[in-house]
Each structure stands twice: as C-alpha cells, then as structure tokens.
Amino acid sequence: MKCYHHKHVIFLVLLSATLVLLTSCSCRRTAATLDDVETYIQSRPDSALAVIRAIDTTTLTTRSVRARYALLHSIALDKNWIDTTDVNVVMPAVEYYDRHPSGLYRAKAYYYLGRIQENGGDLSAASVSLLKSEKYAEGTDDIAFKSLLYQTISNIYGKVFQMDEALDYTEKSYELALQDGDSLGANASLYCMAKDLNNMG
C-alpha cells in the first residue's frame, strides 16, 4: 500500500512538472509571436489583429506577456478603426507598466487607455490619461508616436473648446511629423491647424 502511494505521489509530481514545462513553452511561443507582431503592427495592422485574435489566451500565463498582448491588441484595434469602449482591453498593460516603468510602453499604454476613454465619451478621463502619456513619453525618441499623441491631445482640447491649447498641440504634432518625414501626418496636422484657427475665428 505504501509502495502504491509512493508511486502515486511520484506520478503526480511528474505530471505537475510536465504541465508547468508545457505551459512555460506555450507562453514563450506566444511571447515570440507578440515580438514578431510588434515589428509590423504599424504597417500591416490588419494582419497584426488577425494574428493577435488567433492567440490562445490561456497561454498568457505571465503578467509581462499579458501586458504585451493587451497593449498590442489595443494598438491593432485602433489602427483598424475599431473604436472599442472597453477599457479592460488595455488595463493589463496600464497596470503592469505602472508597476514596471518602461518608458515608451508605459506611455503607449496610457495613450490607448485615453483613446478608449475618448471612444466612450469620457473626455475628462481621456485627457488625464493622454497627459500622463505625454509625461511618460518625454524621455523617449519615438517621434512618430509623440506626433500622434500631440494630435490626439489637440483633438480632446478641441472637443471641449479650449482652442488655444488645441492649436498649440497641433503645432507640436506638425513639427514632429515634419521632423519624422511623415508627409501624411504633417498634412493631417495642417488640416487640423486650419480647423483650429477657423474655430478661433
């Protein structure tokens, strides 16, 4: 009887170790997939979203991988013009990068939280999140992201009729778009500047 019990315990220990190993391997594969998605999410957001949606969420077994998944999922939705209002999509990223500050990821987590809050019509909360994103983006060198961020902040100010602030951020966005060689972004900012000036009379 003791021998049977001993074998049973060994079997359970081996089974547990095997499950842990398999789970760890699955998580690493998912992390590698997310690394790959990040390389083309800006240029091929539709493909990125398809890959993200195909990921088995049971493989998101660490907080860092859940955060990356949440952030990339939020970016892919936004880039595909899918205006979700569910802040839970991005919150794992916001909470993780708040505890593990990592510059650009933290800034982007708050940016996409702000976008989701804006989609839901909560402009006050959106402005708080976007200004936090601006603060965390200060030490980064991602000009394209900063240009996008400034234009989004400008849009929020425009919606609440604070036109001086809206114009100020649009001008910042325009300057960074030019610096980045982004003619499309620069033209979009010029259009917004014209709209801001028109609203100011």
Side-chain angles (χ1 to χ4, degrees), residues 85 116-124:
T85 58
I116 292 171
Q117 290 165 332
E118 181 185 5
N119 292 340
D122 192 346
L123 300 183
S124 178

Side-chain angles (χ1 to χ4, degrees), residues 84-96:
T84 182
T85 58
D86 183 6
V87 295
N88 291 319
V89 172
V90 75
M91 283 311 294
V94 173
E95 291 169 355
Y96 179 81

